[in-house]
Structures are given as C-alpha cells and as structure tokens.
Amino acid sequence: MPCDRCTSRRKISYQNADVDRPFVGALSSGFCNWRIDFTHADTENRTYRTSRGTTHTECKIAPMRNNSPQTLPRYGKAWAEQNRDQDPDQAWRTRRRRAGIAAFLSGLVLTLAFFAFFPGLPHVIDWGAILVSLAAGGLAQWSCRSWINRAARAKSKAKAEQM
C-alpha cells in the first residue's frame, strides 16, 4: 500500500483526525465552518464510502474528529480530509475579538508593571493600582477595536469606490 499511516485491514478499531499544524490556525482566525470527512477506498483506489462529519460553524484553532469503530466491507485504505468554507465576517469577528483580548491584557500588564517598577512610586500593588490597570486594559481594548473597525470601514469604502 502506498500509505503507511492508512488502515490496511477491514476492521477499524480507532480512527481520529485533527489538524497537524495548529499554529496556522492560531496565527489567523482559526478554522471556521469546518468539517472532517473520513473516506474509504478499496485496493484499487476506488472510493466507496465517505463518512461526512458535522459542519461546525465556530472557529477553532485545532479542530478534531473521532470516528466510531467499524468493519469495512472491503479491504483497502481509509483517510481523513478537512473541508472548510470560511465565512469572512465570522473570521473578521474572531480576529477582532482576539485582538481586543490581546490589547486588554497588554494594557493591564503594562500598567501593573508601571505601578510595580516605576521609580518614585511605592512598589506595592494595591486596589487602586489594580483598578487603574483594569481601566487602562479596557481603554486599550476599546481603542484597538475602534482602530480595527475604522480600518474595515475604510477598506470596504475603497472597495465600493473601485466598483
């Protein structure tokens, strides 16, 4: 058989599939509107069964699917295929949400570091410093989301003018 990792017998006791490069999903908005299918072919590479997975509308960084044990009617091989039809609006919302979370955490940590290490301030993190840090994180998140929204509006306006 040309595929070393494929199942070459009729009985399949365990079958699962996932994305082997999750960092690609982490760098983008993840995999949105995805489905994993298991396909079975006979020894002459003729496909005779495809087990379609459920289409998931949420965005995930590392999608995964398990398949139940089964006995195939013919000898051959089995493999998994990932299908995705990414909704641009959903991907944009996911990127916007992740950027907002990163901006909030950055504002929070930088403000806490300022209160902890800035010369001339008491090096004690009290409730006032925590509240100011939360406010700075919220302000950073708001400004990041506003910037993303403004850039998206400018992009859609430029696209509309081209048409």
Side-chain angles (χ1 to χ4, degrees):
M1 300 251 77
C3 181
D4 295 336
R5 297 172 64 191
C6 298
T7 305
S8 60
R9 306 222 187 281
R10 287 181 54 202
K11 183 175 176 145
I12 297 176
S13 58
Y14 181 74
Q15 192 176 28
N16 73 349
D18 62 356
V19 176
D20 61 349
R21 293 187 185 108
F23 65 89
V24 173
L27 292 176
S28 65
S29 61
F31 298 99
C32 302
N33 296 329
W34 58 273
R35 181 183 81 234
I36 296 177
D37 299 337
F38 289 104
T39 305
H40 306 278
D42 60 14
T43 55
E44 296 177 9
N45 284 335
R46 288 184 299 222
T47 301
Y48 64 89
R49 179 188 295 171
T50 299
S51 170
R52 287 178 55 111
T54 307
T55 301
H56 300 272
T57 57
E58 76 276 1
C59 297
K60 290 187 87 171
I61 293 175
M64 181 176 184
R65 178 183 174 208
N66 294 320
N67 206 9
S68 58
Q70 57 187 314
T71 301
L72 301 175
R74 303 176 199 148
Y75 287 100
K77 61 183 180 179
W79 67 91
E81 295 177 357
Q82 180 193 17
N83 299 295
R84 66 184 178 134
D85 181 19
Q86 192 162 348
D87 178 18
D89 291 335
Q90 185 177 14
W92 179 80
R93 285 191 304 271
T94 302
R95 276 195 303 273
R96 180 177 174 260
R97 185 179 68 245
R98 287 185 183 163
I101 290 170
F104 175 79
L105 291 175
S106 299
L108 176 78
V109 169
L110 288 173
T111 308
L112 282 175
F114 172 78
F115 282 117
F117 301 116
F118 193 74
L121 293 175
H123 300 294
V124 177
I125 301 294
D126 59 355
W127 284 108
I130 292 172
L131 291 176
V132 169
S133 297
L134 287 172
L139 181 64
Q141 182 180 29
W142 174 80
S143 62
C144 177
R145 285 189 174 179
S146 296
W147 178 71
I148 290 173
N149 288 338
R150 193 174 339 115
R153 279 194 303 270
K155 186 177 180 180
S156 65
K157 184 178 178 183
K159 193 175 190 179
E161 288 175 0
Q162 285 179 350
M163 291 182 169

